PDB file of all heavy atoms in Angstrom:
ATOM      1  N   GLN A   5     -54.372  36.621 -50.807  1.00 98.00           N
ATOM      2  CA  GLN A   5     -53.769  37.873 -51.252  1.00 98.00           C
ATOM      3  C   GLN A   5     -52.844  38.456 -50.189  1.00 98.00           C
ATOM      4  O   GLN A   5     -53.135  38.386 -48.989  1.00 98.00           O
ATOM      5  CB  GLN A   5     -54.860  38.896 -51.581  1.00 98.00           C
ATOM      6  CG  GLN A   5     -55.774  38.472 -52.719  1.00 98.00           C
ATOM      7  CD  GLN A   5     -55.027  38.333 -54.037  1.00 98.00           C
ATOM      8  OE1 GLN A   5     -54.471  39.304 -54.549  1.00 98.00           O
ATOM      9  NE2 GLN A   5     -55.013  37.117 -54.583  1.00 98.00           N
ATOM     10  N   LEU A   6     -51.729  39.028 -50.659  1.00 99.00           N
ATOM     11  CA  LEU A   6     -50.851  39.804 -49.792  1.00 99.00           C
ATOM     12  C   LEU A   6     -51.247  41.267 -49.944  1.00 99.00           C
ATOM     13  O   LEU A   6     -51.294  41.802 -51.049  1.00 99.00           O
ATOM     14  CB  LEU A   6     -49.391  39.619 -50.191  1.00 99.00           C
ATOM     15  CG  LEU A   6     -48.362  40.334 -49.297  1.00 99.00           C
ATOM     16  CD1 LEU A   6     -48.410  39.786 -47.874  1.00 99.00           C
ATOM     17  CD2 LEU A   6     -46.955  40.205 -49.877  1.00 99.00           C
ATOM     18  N   ARG A   7     -51.544  41.927 -48.800  1.00 98.00           N
ATOM     19  CA  ARG A   7     -52.021  43.302 -48.830  1.00 98.00           C
ATOM     20  C   ARG A   7     -51.162  44.168 -47.911  1.00 98.00           C
ATOM     21  O   ARG A   7     -50.445  43.663 -47.030  1.00 98.00           O
ATOM     22  CB  ARG A   7     -53.493  43.377 -48.427  1.00 98.00           C
ATOM     23  CG  ARG A   7     -54.404  42.447 -49.260  1.00 98.00           C
ATOM     24  CD  ARG A   7     -55.841  42.852 -49.185  1.00 98.00           C
ATOM     25  NE  ARG A   7     -56.053  44.117 -49.864  1.00 98.00           N
ATOM     26  CZ  ARG A   7     -56.974  45.020 -49.523  1.00 98.00           C
ATOM     27  NH1 ARG A   7     -57.744  44.827 -48.463  1.00 98.00           N
ATOM     28  NH2 ARG A   7     -57.114  46.135 -50.200  1.00 98.00           N
ATOM     29  N   ILE A   8     -51.232  45.483 -48.126  1.00 99.00           N
ATOM     30  CA  ILE A   8     -50.432  46.429 -47.353  1.00 99.00           C
ATOM     31  C   ILE A   8     -51.243  47.702 -47.144  1.00 99.00           C
ATOM     32  O   ILE A   8     -52.101  48.037 -47.964  1.00 99.00           O
ATOM     33  CB  ILE A   8     -49.093  46.740 -48.083  1.00 99.00           C
ATOM     34  CG1 ILE A   8     -48.133  47.540 -47.194  1.00 99.00           C
ATOM     35  CG2 ILE A   8     -49.346  47.461 -49.409  1.00 99.00           C
ATOM     36  CD1 ILE A   8     -46.750  47.707 -47.804  1.00 99.00           C
ATOM     37  N   ARG A   9     -50.965  48.392 -46.057  1.00 98.00           N
ATOM     38  CA  ARG A   9     -51.623  49.669 -45.815  1.00 98.00           C
ATOM     39  C   ARG A   9     -50.584  50.749 -45.593  1.00 98.00           C
ATOM     40  O   ARG A   9     -49.455  50.492 -45.146  1.00 98.00           O
ATOM     41  CB  ARG A   9     -52.539  49.595 -44.601  1.00 98.00           C
ATOM     42  CG  ARG A   9     -51.810  49.760 -43.277  1.00 98.00           C
ATOM     43  CD  ARG A   9     -52.748  49.833 -42.102  1.00 98.00           C
ATOM     44  NE  ARG A   9     -52.097  50.402 -40.920  1.00 98.00           N
ATOM     45  CZ  ARG A   9     -52.665  50.500 -39.730  1.00 98.00           C
ATOM     46  NH1 ARG A   9     -53.898  50.060 -39.534  1.00 98.00           N
ATOM     47  NH2 ARG A   9     -52.014  51.053 -38.717  1.00 98.00           N
ATOM     48  N   SER A  10     -50.983  51.982 -45.871  1.00 98.00           N
ATOM     49  CA  SER A  10     -50.255  53.166 -45.421  1.00 98.00           C
ATOM     50  C   SER A  10     -51.168  53.901 -44.458  1.00 98.00           C
ATOM     51  O   SER A  10     -52.378  53.991 -44.677  1.00 98.00           O
ATOM     52  CB  SER A  10     -49.860  54.070 -46.597  1.00 98.00           C
ATOM     53  OG  SER A  10     -51.017  54.510 -47.303  1.00 98.00           O
ATOM     54  N   LYS A  11     -50.592  54.418 -43.369  1.00 98.00           N
ATOM     55  CA  LYS A  11     -51.394  55.166 -42.412  1.00 98.00           C
ATOM     56  C   LYS A  11     -50.510  56.176 -41.708  1.00 98.00           C
ATOM     57  O   LYS A  11     -49.361  55.883 -41.359  1.00 98.00           O
ATOM     58  CB  LYS A  11     -52.050  54.244 -41.386  1.00 98.00           C
ATOM     59  CG  LYS A  11     -53.068  54.967 -40.497  1.00 98.00           C
ATOM     60  CD  LYS A  11     -53.809  54.018 -39.569  1.00 98.00           C
ATOM     61  CE  LYS A  11     -54.869  54.777 -38.764  1.00 98.00           C
ATOM     62  NZ  LYS A  11     -55.602  53.899 -37.824  1.00 98.00           N
ATOM     63  N   GLY A  12     -51.048  57.377 -41.454  1.00 97.00           N
ATOM     64  CA  GLY A  12     -50.261  58.388 -40.766  1.00 97.00           C
ATOM     65  C   GLY A  12     -51.017  59.697 -40.647  1.00 97.00           C
ATOM     66  O   GLY A  12     -52.220  59.770 -40.818  1.00 97.00           O
ATOM     67  N   GLY A  13     -50.236  60.742 -40.343  1.00 97.00           N
ATOM     68  CA  GLY A  13     -50.821  62.048 -40.073  1.00 97.00           C
ATOM     69  C   GLY A  13     -51.228  62.134 -38.624  1.00 97.00           C
ATOM     70  O   GLY A  13     -50.401  61.970 -37.715  1.00 97.00           O
ATOM     71  N   ASP A  14     -52.500  62.368 -38.373  1.00 94.00           N
ATOM     72  CA  ASP A  14     -53.051  62.388 -37.024  1.00 94.00           C
ATOM     73  C   ASP A  14     -53.119  60.963 -36.494  1.00 94.00           C
ATOM     74  O   ASP A  14     -53.801  60.107 -37.066  1.00 94.00           O
ATOM     75  CB  ASP A  14     -54.446  63.006 -37.069  1.00 94.00           C
ATOM     76  CG  ASP A  14     -55.079  63.159 -35.686  1.00 94.00           C
ATOM     77  OD1 ASP A  14     -54.722  62.391 -34.771  1.00 94.00           O
ATOM     78  OD2 ASP A  14     -55.938  64.037 -35.518  1.00 94.00           O
ATOM     79  N   MET A  15     -52.419  60.675 -35.390  1.00 90.00           N
ATOM     80  CA  MET A  15     -52.332  59.292 -34.925  1.00 90.00           C
ATOM     81  C   MET A  15     -53.650  58.752 -34.391  1.00 90.00           C
ATOM     82  O   MET A  15     -53.819  57.534 -34.268  1.00 90.00           O
ATOM     83  CB  MET A  15     -51.245  59.153 -33.869  1.00 90.00           C
ATOM     84  CG  MET A  15     -51.481  59.908 -32.593  1.00 90.00           C
ATOM     85  SD  MET A  15     -50.002  59.869 -31.549  1.00 90.00           S
ATOM     86  CE  MET A  15     -48.823  60.740 -32.578  1.00 90.00           C
ATOM     87  N   CYS A  16     -54.581  59.619 -34.045  1.00 92.00           N
ATOM     88  CA  CYS A  16     -55.883  59.168 -33.539  1.00 92.00           C
ATOM     89  C   CYS A  16     -56.976  59.196 -34.611  1.00 92.00           C
ATOM     90  O   CYS A  16     -58.069  58.677 -34.387  1.00 92.00           O
ATOM     91  CB  CYS A  16     -56.296  60.012 -32.338  1.00 92.00           C
ATOM     92  SG  CYS A  16     -55.159  59.850 -30.935  1.00 92.00           S
ATOM     93  N   ASP A  17     -56.694  59.794 -35.733  1.00 93.00           N
ATOM     94  CA  ASP A  17     -57.640  59.844 -36.851  1.00 93.00           C
ATOM     95  C   ASP A  17     -56.825  59.900 -38.137  1.00 93.00           C
ATOM     96  O   ASP A  17     -56.937  60.848 -38.924  1.00 93.00           O
ATOM     97  CB  ASP A  17     -58.573  61.043 -36.726  1.00 93.00           C
ATOM     98  CG  ASP A  17     -59.682  61.047 -37.771  1.00 93.00           C
ATOM     99  OD1 ASP A  17     -59.987  59.961 -38.298  1.00 93.00           O
ATOM    100  OD2 ASP A  17     -60.215  62.132 -38.064  1.00 93.00           O
ATOM    101  N   GLY A  18     -55.998  58.869 -38.332  1.00 95.00           N
ATOM    102  CA  GLY A  18     -55.014  58.897 -39.401  1.00 95.00           C
ATOM    103  C   GLY A  18     -55.601  58.694 -40.787  1.00 95.00           C
ATOM    104  O   GLY A  18     -56.714  58.180 -40.958  1.00 95.00           O
ATOM    105  N   THR A  19     -54.828  59.109 -41.778  1.00 97.00           N
ATOM    106  CA  THR A  19     -55.169  58.870 -43.177  1.00 97.00           C
ATOM    107  C   THR A  19     -54.772  57.446 -43.529  1.00 97.00           C
ATOM    108  O   THR A  19     -53.597  57.083 -43.430  1.00 97.00           O
ATOM    109  CB  THR A  19     -54.436  59.855 -44.096  1.00 97.00           C
ATOM    110  OG1 THR A  19     -54.801  61.197 -43.745  1.00 97.00           O
ATOM    111  CG2 THR A  19     -54.772  59.601 -45.558  1.00 97.00           C
ATOM    112  N   LEU A  20     -55.727  56.641 -43.927  1.00 98.00           N
ATOM    113  CA  LEU A  20     -55.524  55.211 -44.163  1.00 98.00           C
ATOM    114  C   LEU A  20     -55.823  54.860 -45.614  1.00 98.00           C
ATOM    115  O   LEU A  20     -56.866  55.243 -46.148  1.00 98.00           O
ATOM    116  CB  LEU A  20     -56.431  54.391 -43.242  1.00 98.00           C
ATOM    117  CG  LEU A  20     -56.497  52.877 -43.495  1.00 98.00           C
ATOM    118  CD1 LEU A  20     -55.158  52.227 -43.196  1.00 98.00           C
ATOM    119  CD2 LEU A  20     -57.607  52.245 -42.665  1.00 98.00           C
ATOM    120  N   LYS A  21     -54.893  54.130 -46.233  1.00 98.00           N
ATOM    121  CA  LYS A  21     -55.122  53.568 -47.560  1.00 98.00           C
ATOM    122  C   LYS A  21     -54.632  52.123 -47.570  1.00 98.00           C
ATOM    123  O   LYS A  21     -53.641  51.793 -46.923  1.00 98.00           O
ATOM    124  CB  LYS A  21     -54.409  54.387 -48.642  1.00 98.00           C
ATOM    125  CG  LYS A  21     -54.954  55.800 -48.799  1.00 98.00           C
ATOM    126  CD  LYS A  21     -54.300  56.534 -49.957  1.00 98.00           C
ATOM    127  CE  LYS A  21     -54.895  57.927 -50.121  1.00 98.00           C
ATOM    128  NZ  LYS A  21     -54.298  58.663 -51.275  1.00 98.00           N
ATOM    129  N   GLU A  22     -55.342  51.281 -48.324  1.00 98.00           N
ATOM    130  CA  GLU A  22     -54.990  49.863 -48.402  1.00 98.00           C
ATOM    131  C   GLU A  22     -54.784  49.469 -49.858  1.00 98.00           C
ATOM    132  O   GLU A  22     -55.483  49.963 -50.755  1.00 98.00           O
ATOM    133  CB  GLU A  22     -56.088  49.004 -47.767  1.00 98.00           C
ATOM    134  CG  GLU A  22     -56.268  49.266 -46.284  1.00 98.00           C
ATOM    135  CD  GLU A  22     -57.329  48.370 -45.659  1.00 98.00           C
ATOM    136  OE1 GLU A  22     -58.022  47.634 -46.412  1.00 98.00           O
ATOM    137  OE2 GLU A  22     -57.474  48.400 -44.422  1.00 98.00           O
ATOM    138  N   TYR A  23     -53.829  48.549 -50.083  1.00 98.00           N
ATOM    139  CA  TYR A  23     -53.468  48.142 -51.432  1.00 98.00           C
ATOM    140  C   TYR A  23     -53.240  46.628 -51.472  1.00 98.00           C
ATOM    141  O   TYR A  23     -52.834  46.019 -50.490  1.00 98.00           O
ATOM    142  CB  TYR A  23     -52.178  48.831 -51.886  1.00 98.00           C
ATOM    143  CG  TYR A  23     -52.098  50.303 -51.581  1.00 98.00           C
ATOM    144  CD1 TYR A  23     -51.401  50.759 -50.464  1.00 98.00           C
ATOM    145  CD2 TYR A  23     -52.718  51.245 -52.398  1.00 98.00           C
ATOM    146  CE1 TYR A  23     -51.322  52.109 -50.171  1.00 98.00           C
ATOM    147  CE2 TYR A  23     -52.644  52.603 -52.110  1.00 98.00           C
ATOM    148  CZ  TYR A  23     -51.941  53.025 -50.991  1.00 98.00           C
ATOM    149  OH  TYR A  23     -51.864  54.367 -50.697  1.00 98.00           O
ATOM    150  N   THR A  24     -53.477  46.053 -52.640  1.00 98.00           N
ATOM    151  CA  THR A  24     -53.192  44.637 -52.865  1.00 98.00           C
ATOM    152  C   THR A  24     -51.857  44.502 -53.590  1.00 98.00           C
ATOM    153  O   THR A  24     -51.597  45.194 -54.575  1.00 98.00           O
ATOM    154  CB  THR A  24     -54.310  43.977 -53.687  1.00 98.00           C
ATOM    155  OG1 THR A  24     -55.533  44.040 -52.948  1.00 98.00           O
ATOM    156  CG2 THR A  24     -53.983  42.522 -53.980  1.00 98.00           C
ATOM    157  N   ILE A  25     -51.010  43.587 -53.083  1.00 98.00           N
ATOM    158  CA  ILE A  25     -49.681  43.374 -53.659  1.00 98.00           C
ATOM    159  C   ILE A  25     -49.684  42.233 -54.659  1.00 98.00           C
ATOM    160  O   ILE A  25     -49.166  42.358 -55.768  1.00 98.00           O
ATOM    161  CB  ILE A  25     -48.654  43.107 -52.541  1.00 98.00           C
ATOM    162  CG1 ILE A  25     -48.506  44.348 -51.649  1.00 98.00           C
ATOM    163  CG2 ILE A  25     -47.309  42.707 -53.134  1.00 98.00           C
ATOM    164  CD1 ILE A  25     -47.651  44.120 -50.426  1.00 98.00           C
ATOM    165  N   GLY A  26     -50.231  41.074 -54.270  1.00 98.00           N
ATOM    166  CA  GLY A  26     -50.210  39.930 -55.174  1.00 98.00           C
ATOM    167  C   GLY A  26     -50.792  38.687 -54.539  1.00 98.00           C
ATOM    168  O   GLY A  26     -51.221  38.694 -53.388  1.00 98.00           O
ATOM    169  N   THR A  27     -50.773  37.592 -55.306  1.00 98.00           N
ATOM    170  CA  THR A  27     -51.368  36.326 -54.888  1.00 98.00           C
ATOM    171  C   THR A  27     -50.323  35.427 -54.241  1.00 98.00           C
ATOM    172  O   THR A  27     -49.215  35.257 -54.765  1.00 98.00           O
ATOM    173  CB  THR A  27     -51.999  35.606 -56.084  1.00 98.00           C
ATOM    174  OG1 THR A  27     -53.012  36.444 -56.655  1.00 98.00           O
ATOM    175  CG2 THR A  27     -52.621  34.282 -55.675  1.00 98.00           C
ATOM    176  N   ILE A  28     -50.702  34.841 -53.103  1.00 98.00           N
ATOM    177  CA  ILE A  28     -49.831  33.961 -52.337  1.00 98.00           C
ATOM    178  C   ILE A  28     -50.258  32.514 -52.566  1.00 98.00           C
ATOM    179  O   ILE A  28     -51.456  32.208 -52.589  1.00 98.00           O
ATOM    180  CB  ILE A  28     -49.922  34.266 -50.829  1.00 98.00           C
ATOM    181  CG1 ILE A  28     -49.591  35.734 -50.557  1.00 98.00           C
ATOM    182  CG2 ILE A  28     -49.014  33.352 -50.025  1.00 98.00           C
ATOM    183  CD1 ILE A  28     -49.980  36.187 -49.169  1.00 98.00           C
ATOM    184  N   LYS A  29     -49.287  31.623 -52.679  1.00 98.00           N
ATOM    185  CA  LYS A  29     -49.564  30.191 -52.756  1.00 98.00           C
ATOM    186  C   LYS A  29     -49.027  29.528 -51.496  1.00 98.00           C
ATOM    187  O   LYS A  29     -47.815  29.460 -51.297  1.00 98.00           O
ATOM    188  CB  LYS A  29     -48.921  29.562 -53.996  1.00 98.00           C
ATOM    189  CG  LYS A  29     -49.285  28.094 -54.169  1.00 98.00           C
ATOM    190  CD  LYS A  29     -48.732  27.522 -55.449  1.00 98.00           C
ATOM    191  CE  LYS A  29     -49.127  26.047 -55.592  1.00 98.00           C
ATOM    192  NZ  LYS A  29     -48.615  25.455 -56.858  1.00 98.00           N
ATOM    193  N   PRO A  30     -49.906  29.056 -50.603  1.00 98.00           N
ATOM    194  CA  PRO A  30     -49.430  28.379 -49.389  1.00 98.00           C
ATOM    195  C   PRO A  30     -48.498  27.227 -49.736  1.00 98.00           C
ATOM    196  O   PRO A  30     -48.726  26.470 -50.687  1.00 98.00           O
ATOM    197  CB  PRO A  30     -50.725  27.877 -48.742  1.00 98.00           C
ATOM    198  CG  PRO A  30     -51.771  28.848 -49.199  1.00 98.00           C
ATOM    199  CD  PRO A  30     -51.381  29.173 -50.620  1.00 98.00           C
ATOM    200  N   GLY A  31     -47.431  27.107 -48.941  1.00 98.00           N
ATOM    201  CA  GLY A  31     -46.422  26.083 -49.183  1.00 98.00           C
ATOM    202  C   GLY A  31     -45.267  26.551 -50.031  1.00 98.00           C
ATOM    203  O   GLY A  31     -44.206  25.912 -50.044  1.00 98.00           O
ATOM    204  N   ASN A  32     -45.440  27.660 -50.766  1.00 98.00           N
ATOM    205  CA  ASN A  32     -44.366  28.229 -51.576  1.00 98.00           C
ATOM    206  C   ASN A  32     -43.667  29.350 -50.807  1.00 98.00           C
ATOM    207  O   ASN A  32     -44.311  30.091 -50.060  1.00 98.00           O
ATOM    208  CB  ASN A  32     -44.898  28.802 -52.885  1.00 98.00           C
ATOM    209  CG  ASN A  32     -45.195  27.737 -53.907  1.00 98.00           C
ATOM    210  OD1 ASN A  32     -45.240  26.543 -53.589  1.00 98.00           O
ATOM    211  ND2 ASN A  32     -45.431  28.147 -55.140  1.00 98.00           N
ATOM    212  N   TRP A  33     -42.377  29.510 -51.038  1.00 98.00           N
ATOM    213  CA  TRP A  33     -41.672  30.676 -50.524  1.00 98.00           C
ATOM    214  C   TRP A  33     -41.935  31.867 -51.431  1.00 98.00           C
ATOM    215  O   TRP A  33     -41.891  31.748 -52.663  1.00 98.00           O
ATOM    216  CB  TRP A  33     -40.172  30.417 -50.454  1.00 98.00           C
ATOM    217  CG  TRP A  33     -39.753  29.644 -49.234  1.00 98.00           C
ATOM    218  CD1 TRP A  33     -39.504  28.307 -49.154  1.00 98.00           C
ATOM    219  CD2 TRP A  33     -39.546  30.173 -47.921  1.00 98.00           C
ATOM    220  NE1 TRP A  33     -39.155  27.966 -47.874  1.00 98.00           N
ATOM    221  CE2 TRP A  33     -39.168  29.083 -47.093  1.00 98.00           C
ATOM    222  CE3 TRP A  33     -39.641  31.448 -47.366  1.00 98.00           C
ATOM    223  CZ2 TRP A  33     -38.880  29.242 -45.740  1.00 98.00           C
ATOM    224  CZ3 TRP A  33     -39.361  31.612 -46.018  1.00 98.00           C
ATOM    225  CH2 TRP A  33     -38.992  30.530 -45.216  1.00 98.00           C
ATOM    226  N   HIS A  34     -42.238  33.008 -50.821  1.00 98.00           N
ATOM    227  CA  HIS A  34     -42.390  34.272 -51.535  1.00 98.00           C
ATOM    228  C   HIS A  34     -41.417  35.287 -50.946  1.00 98.00           C
ATOM    229  O   HIS A  34     -41.019  35.171 -49.785  1.00 98.00           O
ATOM    230  CB  HIS A  34     -43.824  34.808 -51.392  1.00 98.00           C
ATOM    231  CG  HIS A  34     -44.858  33.945 -52.026  1.00 98.00           C
ATOM    232  ND1 HIS A  34     -45.103  33.949 -53.386  1.00 98.00           N
ATOM    233  CD2 HIS A  34     -45.724  33.040 -51.495  1.00 98.00           C
ATOM    234  CE1 HIS A  34     -46.080  33.096 -53.664  1.00 98.00           C
ATOM    235  NE2 HIS A  34     -46.472  32.531 -52.529  1.00 98.00           N
ATOM    236  N   ARG A  35     -41.079  36.272 -51.738  1.00 98.00           N
ATOM    237  CA  ARG A  35     -40.218  37.340 -51.227  1.00 98.00           C
ATOM    238  C   ARG A  35     -40.849  38.689 -51.552  1.00 98.00           C
ATOM    239  O   ARG A  35     -41.480  38.858 -52.600  1.00 98.00           O
ATOM    240  CB  ARG A  35     -38.794  37.225 -51.767  1.00 98.00           C
ATOM    241  CG  ARG A  35     -38.636  37.335 -53.262  1.00 98.00           C
ATOM    242  CD  ARG A  35     -37.205  36.931 -53.665  1.00 98.00           C
ATOM    243  NE  ARG A  35     -36.835  37.435 -54.965  1.00 98.00           N
ATOM    244  CZ  ARG A  35     -37.074  36.799 -56.103  1.00 98.00           C
ATOM    245  NH1 ARG A  35     -37.697  35.639 -56.110  1.00 98.00           N
ATOM    246  NH2 ARG A  35     -36.679  37.340 -57.250  1.00 98.00           N
ATOM    247  N   VAL A  36     -40.670  39.638 -50.625  1.00 98.00           N
ATOM    248  CA  VAL A  36     -41.292  40.952 -50.771  1.00 98.00           C
ATOM    249  C   VAL A  36     -40.309  42.017 -50.325  1.00 98.00           C
ATOM    250  O   VAL A  36     -39.560  41.817 -49.356  1.00 98.00           O
ATOM    251  CB  VAL A  36     -42.612  41.028 -49.970  1.00 98.00           C
ATOM    252  CG1 VAL A  36     -42.382  40.805 -48.491  1.00 98.00           C
ATOM    253  CG2 VAL A  36     -43.337  42.336 -50.220  1.00 98.00           C
ATOM    254  N   VAL A  37     -40.281  43.132 -51.040  1.00 98.00           N
ATOM    255  CA  VAL A  37     -39.443  44.281 -50.689  1.00 98.00           C
ATOM    256  C   VAL A  37     -40.317  45.531 -50.739  1.00 98.00           C
ATOM    257  O   VAL A  37     -41.031  45.762 -51.727  1.00 98.00           O
ATOM    258  CB  VAL A  37     -38.253  44.453 -51.648  1.00 98.00           C
ATOM    259  CG1 VAL A  37     -37.466  45.722 -51.303  1.00 98.00           C
ATOM    260  CG2 VAL A  37     -37.336  43.238 -51.593  1.00 98.00           C
TER     261      VAL A  37
END
């Protein structure tokens, strides 16, 4: 899986969220924006 996070606010106790983008196939080219 390709995953991404957002984090910010207080740099020592930031607001963190994580999300799944999609499925990766090793050996294939993928593109992400």
Side-chain angles (χ1 to χ4, degrees):
Q5 298 296 298
L6 183 63
R7 306 199 68 211
I8 190 172
R9 82 174 198 185
S10 60
K11 189 175 183 181
D14 184 334
M15 64 189 63
C16 297
D17 187 22
T19 301
L20 171 66
K21 294 185 178 181
E22 297 182 353
Y23 315 98
T24 297
I25 295 173
T27 300
I28 304 166
K29 185 176 180 179
N32 282 13
W33 279 99
H34 295 281
R35 62 191 200 272
V36 61
V37 176

